[in-house]
Amino acid sequence: MIKNHESSAANTDSASDRLQALGLALPALRENPYYVHHRAVGSSIHISGQLPYRDGVLLGQGVVGRDLELETAKELARHAVLNCLAAAVQAVGDLDRVRIVQMLVFVASTPDFGEQSQVANAASELLIEVLGENGRHARTAIGVAGLPLNTPVEIQMVITAA
């Protein structure tokens, strides 16, 4: 599980050191013939929606509030945001240069779930733990009827190079 390692990560120098102190590493992203993982427009870099993949395996499927519990959805959001960070590093070259401007979190959930912001908080928390002030961002969390490959979480970002 990825969480609450803030004290061990807070005293390190670089974002990469903080990520490593949390026991995490950025994943390798698979190329896709239909889209790119990032696209720069002026000083903004748009990160394509990322799913909770690890080592090429989708970590969960289903609808939150029906098939999955909140805690599982939060863990999946953490993995999706790691994939976003990997795309961000592809775009700017170094984790210390990544500054999150906006994050959009889609949660496939039942109409009465209502805790999409809690799922998004897990991703936001990880960004702040790793990037510090550069991880703070504007954010929207949206409940949707379905997502690609029946994944419960998809995260899209806008970043800049710090």
Side-chain angles (χ1 to χ4, degrees), residues 1-24 26 74-75 77-79 81-82 85 95-96 98 100 103 119-137 157:
M1 187 180 236
I2 307 169
K3 69 180 197 178
N4 293 335
H5 295 86
E6 191 170 353
S7 59
S8 63
N11 298 328
T12 58
D13 296 307
S14 73
S16 294
D17 290 342
R18 289 189 293 272
L19 186 69
Q20 187 174 18
L22 291 167
L24 301 173
L26 294 181
K74 290 167 70 172
E75 187 68 18
R78 290 180 186 97
H79 285 286
V81 88
L82 280 174
L85 285 175
L95 192 56
D96 284 314
V98 174
I100 311 302
M103 182 170 68
V119 175
N121 284 349
S124 294
E125 177 184 56
L126 183 57
L127 289 173
I128 294 166
E129 284 183 86
V130 172
L131 301 175
E133 195 58 32
N134 282 343
R136 294 181 54 78
H137 51 274
M157 290 183 170

Side-chain angles (χ1 to χ4, degrees), residues 7-88:
S7 59
S8 63
N11 298 328
T12 58
D13 296 307
S14 73
S16 294
D17 290 342
R18 289 189 293 272
L19 186 69
Q20 187 174 18
L22 291 167
L24 301 173
L26 294 181
L29 299 177
R30 291 184 174 187
E31 295 300 315
N32 190 296
Y34 304 108
Y35 66 88
V36 294
H37 289 292
H38 55 84
R39 173 74 69 200
V41 178
S43 64
S44 294
I45 301 164
H46 298 258
I47 305 297
S48 294
Q50 298 292 323
L51 306 182
Y53 276 105
R54 182 175 57 210
D55 300 326
V57 176
L58 187 62
L59 297 177
Q61 291 182 308
V63 174
V64 183
R66 183 186 74 205
D67 307 316
L68 299 153
E69 300 293 324
L70 173 62
E71 287 306 312
T72 301
K74 290 167 70 172
E75 187 68 18
L76 294 172
R78 290 180 186 97
H79 285 286
V81 88
L82 280 174
N83 289 311
C84 287
L85 285 175

